Amino acid sequence: MTAKDIRAANLRDPELCRAYAACGSFLRRNFVAHYFPLRQLLPPGRRPYWDAILALSIHVDDLIDDARVPVPERMVRYDAYTRDFFALLDGQDPWTGPPSSRQDRLGRAFGRAFAHFTRVWDIPRESVELALTNIGADLRVTEYASFADLERHIRSTGGEHNMWLNALLGSRAHHSEEAREHAVSALLGLQLTDNLRDLREDLADGRLFLPLDDLKAFGLDRAELEAAARDRRMTDRLRDLARFEAERARGHLDRAADWWRWADADARELPRQYVSMARCVLRQVPHSRHDVFHAPALRGRLACVTAAGAGLALGYARRAANRRFTSPGNKADPAHALKGSRPS
């Protein structure tokens, strides 16, 4: 995070500045390949808030998904962290003593920055409660009977995350139901792709994010799927299922294609490139002949960033052109960004 970003976001409190800086440093160290290029597509005054959204979201996901920790202990850690975070939202400070670990220190900083973000951008507490409660359910709910059940879960977790991003894209995105649906479609497309790519890891954790109805439609059951995952063995029926799930994800990304139209002129490139990079990640599935057990996840994601380079460069150019027609207040002042107008 640069001094320019901090000034543009009107951050003055030293403790808050340190909290936001911790978010940016964490993301830069661990996710530079796809974090930094997208971040630069936001106006400087909104970038620290984007950092806070991502850092908190990744932190709580890590508490849930840390395979080195037994599932019951993960539940305890997650419940303790969210309890402290909501106390912070209520005006108490549960983090007065020294942190017990590096993870604890980072979690405190991310929580402080995100709590401040919710106040500045008028994010309802109910939205945060819904997201964090349902993220915690990932450890308690081990399967979903139908796609409708899975979709409800994704909407109530990641859908809220993309609603928070919509706030940073401007008032039209923040307050439009159509913009919310486009954002959720983008999230569904990316999450359904990740469900395929992470299938083996999730099953090893005792969780299944492919609907049981879909398995049944392709003549599969959970026990057969678990055996295939243990052996990294693709069968014809499993390959057909993966093809079906990939097509469903592609349909959601197609519906998300116009998400950028609801963003402010100087923020439109972020949703445009978000969808573009999600499409690139999805393309890795058919490129591996729908073999979800042998797709090179990391290499595929890095290849997407490389392949998206031309699109990002074009995005920067478009954003620079749009900036000439945008007032300085629009880039830095959250209150200004939340004033209503219609999408073009």
Side-chain angles (χ1 to χ4, degrees):
M1 183 183 306
T2 66
K4 176 183 177 182
D5 296 343
I6 290 174
R7 287 194 302 271
N10 201 29
L11 296 171
R12 296 190 178 92
D13 179 86
E15 184 177 34
L16 275 176
C17 288
R18 287 193 294 271
Y20 278 101
C23 295
S25 296
F26 168 77
L27 294 166
R28 190 167 55 251
R29 284 195 307 271
N30 295 282
F31 304 95
V32 66
H34 40 286
Y35 150 70
F36 190 75
L38 290 177
R39 181 186 193 273
Q40 296 305 103
L41 296 176
L42 279 173
R46 305 183 199 179
R47 292 172 191 167
Y49 302 107
W50 162 258
D51 295 348
I53 294 172
L54 285 184
L56 182 91
S57 299
I58 291 169
H59 180 68
V60 295
D61 277 346
D62 285 348
L63 291 175
I64 291 292
D65 291 333
D66 189 347
R68 300 166 299 178
V69 178
V71 169
E73 186 178 336
R74 289 186 229 172
M75 291 181 181
V76 171
R77 292 196 312 176
Y78 186 83
D79 289 344
Y81 181 77
T82 54
R83 183 174 60 249
D84 286 348
F85 173 77
F86 284 117
L88 187 70
L89 277 188
D90 290 336
Q92 306 168 39
D93 190 348
W95 296 320
T96 54
S100 60
S101 64
R102 177 179 177 274
Q103 185 183 53
D104 183 27
R105 175 174 57 80
L106 290 175
R108 293 181 184 195
F110 302 163
R112 291 189 193 282
F114 185 82
H116 178 258
F117 155 74
T118 65
R119 294 192 294 271
V120 173
W121 292 89
D122 296 328
I123 304 299
R125 179 194 170 96
E126 293 78 12
S127 169
V128 183
E129 287 178 340
L130 180 63
L132 295 186
T133 299
N134 282 282
I135 288 171
D138 274 355
L139 287 175
R140 298 175 174 87
V141 179
T142 60
E143 61 186 27
Y144 296 86
S146 66
F147 177 70
D149 296 327
L150 177 62
E151 182 178 7
R152 276 193 295 272
H153 169 69
I154 295 173
R155 282 177 171 272
S156 61
T157 53
E160 295 304 308
H161 175 284
N162 276 23
M163 188 275 286
W164 307 333
L165 173 55
N166 267 351
L168 300 185
L169 298 181
S171 63
R172 295 170 293 180
H174 189 35
H175 298 296
S176 165
E177 187 59 34
E178 285 183 272
R180 181 185 177 94
E181 285 305 307
H182 279 72
V184 170
S185 290
L187 181 279
L188 281 165
L190 187 57
Q191 186 61 60
L192 294 176
T193 302
D194 281 348
N195 289 349
L196 276 175
R197 295 167 66 89
D198 297 339
L199 178 61
R200 188 168 184 268
E201 178 184 336
D202 290 334
L203 285 171
D205 254 352
R207 294 178 288 168
L208 174 62
F209 292 102
L210 301 183
L212 297 179
D213 283 354
D214 291 358
L215 269 63
K216 183 177 180 180
F218 286 90
L220 295 163
D221 59 31
R222 179 163 179 165
E224 184 178 352
L225 191 61
E226 289 172 340
R230 281 194 302 272
D231 299 337
R232 292 180 177 268
R233 173 176 47 84
M234 288 297 294
T235 65
D236 289 341
R237 287 184 295 185
L238 181 51
R239 206 179 295 273
D240 289 341
L241 172 63
R243 183 180 294 107
F244 172 80
E245 301 294 346
E247 285 300 318
R248 174 182 275 158
R250 183 174 293 107
H252 284 288
L253 291 177
D254 288 345
R255 286 190 284 278
D258 288 339
W259 179 19
W260 63 272
R261 295 184 182 277
W262 275 265
D264 287 350
D266 58 351
R268 285 181 170 179
E269 290 309 316
L270 193 150
R272 198 196 304 260
Q273 297 305 326
Y274 179 117
V275 174
S276 176
M277 294 176 77
R279 288 183 190 276
C280 187
V281 173
L282 176 60
R283 282 197 293 271
Q284 301 303 307
V285 176
H287 283 178
S288 66
R289 297 184 62 245
H290 297 90
D291 185 343
V292 295
F293 298 139
H294 294 91
L298 177 59
R299 196 185 331 161
R301 287 181 184 272
L302 294 179
C304 285
V305 175
T306 302
L312 287 166
L314 178 61
Y316 295 138
R318 278 196 295 248
R319 184 178 172 273
N322 284 329
R323 194 164 51 214
R324 292 201 299 270
F325 304 102
T326 307
S327 69
N330 233 7
K331 295 193 289 292
D333 180 7
H336 183 93
L338 288 173
K339 292 177 183 175
S341 56
R342 292 177 58 82
S344 56

